[in-house]
Amino acid sequence: METAVGLEIIEVVEQAAIASAKWMGKGEKNIADQVAVEAMRERMNRIHMRGRIVIGEGERDDAPMLYIGEAVGICTREDAKEYCNPDELIEIDIAVDPCEGTNLVAYGQPGSMAVLAISEKGGLFAAPDFYMKKLAAPPQAKGRVDINKSATENLKILSECLDRAIEELVVVVMKRDRHNELIKEIREAGARVRLISDGDVSAAISCAFAGTNIHALMGIGAAPEGVISAAAMRCLGGHFQGQLIYDPAVVKTGLIGESKESNVERLTEMGIKDPDKVYNDSELASGETVLFAACGITPGTLMEGVRLFHGGARTQSLVISSQSKTARFVDTIHMLDNPKYIQL
């Protein structure tokens, strides 16, 4: 799978990032997301594959493109048989977030990315559009920290695993009312907190890279992004756990269904028998082969944002593979319209 679509998925996230970056700082988060969706879908439909969106922009009634269940790839074209035999194409499941951090793009803030994860059919957990309690940590702490333990306990374990004083640890938490007690506990334990407004996929992945000065992600964020994070962390050998949150009273902010009871009923209909189950990265991204790709839209911890110049753009992307056990940073110059010069 990596050989068949590896380079092309980089181009998918690059095109989404470039499209969205043109709306950076204009205060139009919906447009920044829409153009990213359109660009991602257009490039994806030129790949020789039979893809299915398992995590996307929402249900079909709410999302005209990249909706959950949508078929993507060259086989969706009416003239597909002129290019290939659709029956011979690889079948893959795809999780996408064409503009992870729409507010970040709209207001010119760091950390927005175009991201996707792919695996063979059935290889990605089809997370409902709920919330998820998350814990991400470096590979040294894999299997030792635990989402059921307190933040204080996990910080002590992290300190031991990384041979760092707790005061030297940095934990990323999304700035939400629901996290007020968590933030207080982390600070009282002695660690430092980096608050973010959006975009916890980047924060989760950064835990797996030394030198980012991010040692853990804690708190509650969107469940679909949790699956994408888990795919990357599985490839990187980092620690990731997620537990679905279905009680509106816990989330406090944002929409999460009509009631706790109706949400449990919906989970049951989706085949999730234990709504309180804690999933690890290998359960959220269970496929034999998993690929993750991201392209910075605005500058972030891991990647530069899109740099537009007259007639072109420069991007920095990251593609991670469980198959080749690689994490490749790709720096690309796109000559889009007869550039007068190349931006270095």
Side-chain angles (χ1 to χ4, degrees):
M1 185 168 67
E2 179 182 5
T3 304
V5 301
L7 177 60
E8 292 193 280
I9 65 168
I10 298 176
E11 293 184 357
V12 169
V13 291
E14 286 174 344
Q15 293 306 310
I18 291 171
S20 187
K22 294 176 180 179
W23 287 88
M24 190 277 291
K26 295 186 177 183
E28 299 283 356
K29 70 171 188 176
N30 291 334
I31 298 178
D33 183 56
Q34 178 186 337
V35 296
V37 170
E38 292 172 352
M40 178 173 278
R41 182 175 183 264
E42 193 279 330
R43 181 61 186 87
M44 198 176 285
N45 281 340
R46 289 190 275 126
I47 300 178
H48 284 61
M49 67 176 182
R50 281 189 291 166
R52 178 176 66 107
I53 301 296
V54 295
I55 290 176
E57 292 294 285
E59 304 293 337
R60 181 170 186 168
D61 291 342
D62 300 323
M65 294 183 184
L66 297 183
Y67 56 82
I68 297 169
E70 181 179 6
V72 292
I74 194 74
C75 61
T76 61
R77 295 175 51 155
E78 293 182 0
D79 57 350
K81 291 186 177 180
E82 295 181 15
Y83 299 91
C84 60
N85 181 353
D87 294 334
E88 296 177 354
L89 296 178
I90 185 171
E91 287 189 90
I92 60 175
D93 283 354
I94 309 171
V96 302
D97 195 343
C99 183
E100 209 255 336
T102 54
N103 283 319
L104 302 177
V105 178
Y107 302 114
Q109 297 171 338
S112 179
M113 309 184 299
V115 297
L116 64 79
I118 67 174
S119 186
E120 63 268 14
K121 187 176 181 180
L124 295 174
F125 179 70
D129 194 17
F130 283 4
Y131 283 80
M132 178 181 281
K133 182 180 179 182
K134 305 172 188 179
L135 175 63
Q140 298 96 312
K142 187 175 181 66
R144 296 186 62 183
V145 293
D146 191 282
I147 202 169
N148 289 317
K149 294 178 179 178
S150 69
T152 303
E153 291 177 285
N154 281 323
L155 286 169
K156 290 178 181 177
I157 295 169
L158 268 175
S159 174
E160 295 169 0
C161 293
L162 300 178
D163 194 23
R164 287 173 174 258
I166 291 179
E167 290 75 16
E168 296 172 341
L169 299 176
V170 176
V171 182
V172 174
V173 182
M174 294 189 77
K175 189 177 181 181
R176 300 289 189 271
D177 289 344
R178 59 179 174 264
H179 293 146
N180 288 342
E181 290 302 315
L182 172 63
I183 293 167
K184 180 181 178 183
E185 181 181 354
I186 293 170
R187 287 172 173 165
E188 289 180 347
R192 295 169 292 162
V193 177
R194 181 181 295 183
L195 294 175
I196 59 173
S197 61
D198 297 279
D200 65 355
V201 174
S202 175
I205 300 168
S206 294
C207 296
F209 288 91
T212 62
N213 200 37
I214 294 176
H215 307 108
L217 167 73
M218 297 182 183
I220 297 171
E225 281 79 357
V227 175
I228 296 174
S229 299
M233 291 297 272
R234 181 192 153 188
C235 297
L236 293 167
H239 179 95
F240 189 90
Q241 289 174 290
Q243 183 180 36
L244 293 174
I245 301 296
Y246 51 86
D247 186 349
V250 174
V251 176
K252 294 184 180 179
T253 55
L255 300 175
I256 187 176
E258 296 179 1
S259 67
K260 176 181 177 181
E261 292 72 23
S262 64
N263 286 337
V264 170
E265 184 177 337
R266 182 183 172 195
L267 291 174
T268 302
E269 291 172 353
M270 294 178 66
I272 298 174
K273 298 179 180 179
D274 180 3
D276 297 313
K277 175 180 170 63
V278 173
Y279 298 89
N280 61 34
D281 54 278
S282 295
E283 292 169 315
L284 295 171
S286 61
E288 182 177 344
T289 301
V290 177
L291 291 174
F292 169 90
C295 182
I297 301 174
T298 56
T301 302
L302 292 174
M303 294 169 289
E304 286 287 346
V306 176
R307 287 152 287 175
L308 298 169
F309 58 88
H310 184 79
R314 185 171 183 174
T315 60
Q316 191 169 51
S317 306
L318 169 64
V319 59
I320 311 171
S321 168
S322 68
Q323 186 174 355
S324 61
K325 299 187 183 304
T326 55
R328 293 185 174 94
F329 288 90
V330 182
D331 198 330
T332 307
I333 293 173
H334 305 259
M335 294 169 279
L336 305 174
D337 187 25
N338 298 320
K340 293 182 179 179
Y341 59 88
I342 303 299
Q343 180 70 51
L344 295 178

